[in-house]
Amino acid sequence: MSRVHSESHLVARIGWLRAAVLGANDGIVSTASLIMGVASASAGTSEVLVAGVAGLVAGAMSMAAGEYVSVSSQADTEAADLARERLELQSQPDAELDELTHIYVLRGLTYDLARQVSVQLTEKNVLEAHARDELGIVEHMAARPIEAALTSAVTFAVGAALPLLMVILSPLGTLVYSVAIASLIFLALLGAIGAKAGRADVVKASVRVTFWGAFAMALTAGIGALVGTAV
C-alpha cells in the first residue's frame, strides 16, 4: 500500500522570519551606528550609553508601530479584496467560474480539464479557490499585524542590546572599534541564523548582511567625527 509523499516546506515561516531578521538587523545596525556616531563626536561613556538606550527604546517602539501599520494595511487590502470577491461570486457565479477556468488554462491545462478542476474546487470551497488562484491569498502567507509588530520589537531590542553591551564592557578609547567589530560579528551570525532558519545559503546571507551593516556604521561614524571636529 503506497504512502502519500509529504514534504516540509519553509514558506510558512516567511512572515515572522522576515520581521525577525529585519528587527534584529535594524537593532544592531542603527544602535551600533548611533553609538559610533556619538562616540566619534568625542562624547563620554555615559552620554554614549544614554544615547544607545534611547535608541533602543525608540527603535523598538518605532519598529512595532511601523510593522503593525504596514502589515495592517496589507491585511485591510486582503480583506477588501475577499469581500469584493465574495460579492462577485454571489452576483456573477458563471462569470467567476469562467474566470477560474481561464486561469487554469493559462497554467497549462486543457479547457475541459480546467473546467472540471474549476467546478470541483468551486463545489468544495469557492471563495478559497478564488482567493488562492485569482487573488494569490493563501493562509500561510496572510498578513498578521500583531505577530509582525511583536516579533520586530522584540528582535530589535535584542539586536540593539548587543552593541550596548560593548559600551559597558569596552573602554572609551577603543569603544568605536569594539562596537564596530562586535557588531559585524553579530551581523554575520544573524545572517547565518536567518539563512539556517530558511535553509538558504548561509555564506551569501552573512556576507550581504555584514556588508550593508558595515557601510551604514562607517558612514555614521564618519559623520559623527566630522560633526565632533566642527563643534
Side-chain angles (χ1 to χ4, degrees):
M1 186 174 180
S2 62
R3 296 182 178 179
V4 176
H5 175 61
S6 61
E7 295 180 347
S8 176
H9 295 289
L10 304 177
V11 69
R13 300 180 182 179
I14 288 178
W16 66 262
L17 184 59
R18 178 201 62 80
V21 172
L22 175 63
N25 180 81
D26 200 15
I28 295 172
V29 173
S30 62
T31 306
S33 298
L34 177 62
I35 289 171
M36 293 172 64
V38 175
S40 298
S42 303
T45 301
S46 60
E47 288 87 350
V48 174
L49 189 59
V50 169
V53 172
L56 184 155
V57 175
M61 294 301 99
S62 176
M63 286 294 293
E67 281 288 333
Y68 184 80
V69 170
S70 63
V71 179
S72 291
S73 297
Q74 179 186 340
D76 291 343
T77 301
E78 291 177 355
D81 279 343
L82 288 173
R84 188 181 305 111
E85 191 66 26
R86 190 178 289 108
L87 289 175
E88 291 176 353
L89 289 169
Q90 293 173 354
S91 61
Q92 309 172 54
D94 294 336
E96 288 298 309
L97 183 62
D98 290 340
E99 187 174 18
L100 196 60
T101 301
H102 182 64
I103 290 172
Y104 296 141
V105 169
L106 291 178
R107 292 183 181 178
L109 299 184
T110 62
Y111 177 84
D112 290 338
L113 181 56
R115 193 68 171 185
Q116 291 179 37
V117 171
S118 300
V119 170
Q120 291 186 30
L121 290 178
T122 296
E123 291 174 349
K124 180 181 179 181
N125 191 322
V126 60
L127 183 60
E128 179 182 312
H130 283 267
R132 179 183 60 248
D133 295 318
E134 182 182 344
L135 304 178
I137 300 174
V138 291
E139 173 62 26
H140 60 265
M141 296 290 287
R144 296 180 176 86
I146 295 178
E147 177 186 282
L150 291 176
T151 301
S152 294
V154 171
T155 53
F156 182 98
V158 172
L162 297 175
L164 271 176
L165 181 62
M166 300 310 299
V167 176
I168 299 173
L169 299 178
S170 303
L172 184 60
T174 61
L175 181 59
V176 172
Y177 303 104
S178 299
V179 170
I181 294 171
S183 296
L184 291 177
I185 295 174
F186 296 147
L187 286 170
L189 289 174
L190 173 64
I193 292 171
K196 200 72 175 177
R199 295 182 188 173
D201 189 319
V202 173
V203 175
K204 182 179 180 180
S206 296
V207 170
R208 179 176 60 230
V209 173
T210 305
F211 171 80
W212 289 108
F215 178 79
M217 288 186 290
L219 184 62
T220 308
I223 293 174
L226 289 174
V227 172
T229 301
V231 174

